[in-house]
Amino acid sequence: MPYRALDSEQIERTIERLRRRAEQRFAGSGLAAVVRELEGIAERASQTAAWIDRPLVWLRVAIGLLVLLILAALGLSFRSLQVSVGVPTLPELVQGIESGINDVVYVVVAIFFLITIETRVKRRRALSAIHELRAIAHVIDMHQLTKDPELVLARGRATGVLAPRSMTLFELSRYLDYCSEALSLTGKVGALYVQRFDDSVALQAVNEVEELTTGLSRKIWQKLTVLYSLSPLPPGAAATGTTGAPPPAAGGA
């Protein structure tokens, strides 16, 4: 139903718009390249999520045949038992019960292992894709790492270690905001993998990615808070671009 599930196409479209905004405002920047990579991951994520949601028919058929084979072997083993006439002694009775319990336990464990193969195959693929999201979240964080609010205040002497920074206050705020949006979208891509895949391990991995991106975004918003508290924009600056940056396009900068 609408508004009750994530739409992979809408997520891809949102990332595509973010990539275009980053390329237009910061042409040739590493951030635009990272968002472009995130766009490709989102496209593969929709395909992976669809693969996870589909049943592996060939695997289920193979598992069903193996389970029938195990049950048939168990039935044959019971038929081959020689039943002695007379009352068994206590040691014989205990030995027979123990042997029967062991056989049943081994069979149950084997069947459980077989019927969970499909879940483990899908889990492995989901965890591999989620690990890719965790890596790109750290890459996004690396791009905002050196974007200090002090850069636009021009206080103190530059060390010359870092490349010259020429961002205005408005441009720096846009850059940090794009990083925050990219991190948020990274978490949403991860949620696609477990939207229809009921697996506690994969869900925990997605939650960890969400916690990671939320924590990294919190650092960015701390920078934005410092940025505007140290040197607030004059009234109407965001709309008119009085900081030297062009006014944002309609529908978001």
Side-chain angles (χ1 to χ4, degrees), residues 13-181:
R13 196 172 299 120
T14 304
I15 297 176
E16 187 266 340
R17 284 197 295 264
L18 177 60
R19 189 258 306 165
R20 288 166 51 195
R21 291 158 61 197
E23 289 178 342
Q24 182 177 3
R25 193 172 295 280
F26 306 104
S29 65
L31 177 61
V34 174
V35 177
R36 192 181 308 114
E37 182 68 22
L38 180 61
E39 184 179 8
I41 292 176
E43 293 175 358
R44 296 192 299 272
S46 60
Q47 300 172 2
T48 302
W51 181 87
I52 292 175
D53 187 42
R54 289 195 301 268
L56 302 180
V57 179
W58 64 270
L59 183 59
R60 293 187 179 186
V61 172
I63 291 173
L65 292 176
L66 287 174
V67 170
L68 291 177
L69 183 62
I70 292 174
L71 294 177
L74 181 63
L76 289 175
S77 66
F78 280 130
R79 289 189 61 183
S80 63
L81 291 176
Q82 295 181 356
V83 181
S84 59
V85 180
V87 179
T89 63
L90 182 60
E92 292 176 343
L93 181 61
V94 172
Q95 184 178 4
I97 293 175
E98 182 182 2
S99 177
I101 292 176
N102 288 337
D103 291 340
V104 172
V105 169
Y106 291 148
V107 169
V108 170
V109 171
I111 293 176
F112 178 79
F113 176 81
L114 289 174
I115 63 178
T116 57
I117 287 179
E118 181 178 1
T119 299
R120 286 184 278 113
V121 168
K122 293 181 177 181
R123 177 194 299 162
R124 182 175 181 179
R125 184 162 181 177
L127 291 178
S128 177
I130 294 168
H131 177 73
E132 187 178 27
L133 292 176
R134 187 181 293 108
I136 200 169
H138 285 291
V139 173
I140 295 171
D141 184 57
M142 287 296 296
H143 279 80
Q144 67 85 27
L145 197 61
T146 58
K147 302 302 183 292
D148 199 302
E150 287 284 340
L151 296 174
V152 298
L153 300 179
R155 299 191 302 193
R157 181 178 61 85
T159 61
V161 176
L162 297 177
R165 306 294 182 180
S166 58
M167 285 187 183
T168 63
L169 187 150
F170 178 76
E171 289 172 338
L172 181 57
S173 68
R174 290 292 85 198
Y175 192 98
L176 294 174
D177 188 59
Y178 293 167
C179 288
S180 179
E181 288 186 37

Side-chain angles (χ1 to χ4, degrees), residues 197-211:
F197 182 42
D198 187 14
D199 181 71
S200 59
V201 177
L203 179 60
Q204 178 63 28
V206 171
N207 289 337
E208 290 175 357
V209 171
E210 187 71 25
E211 292 174 1

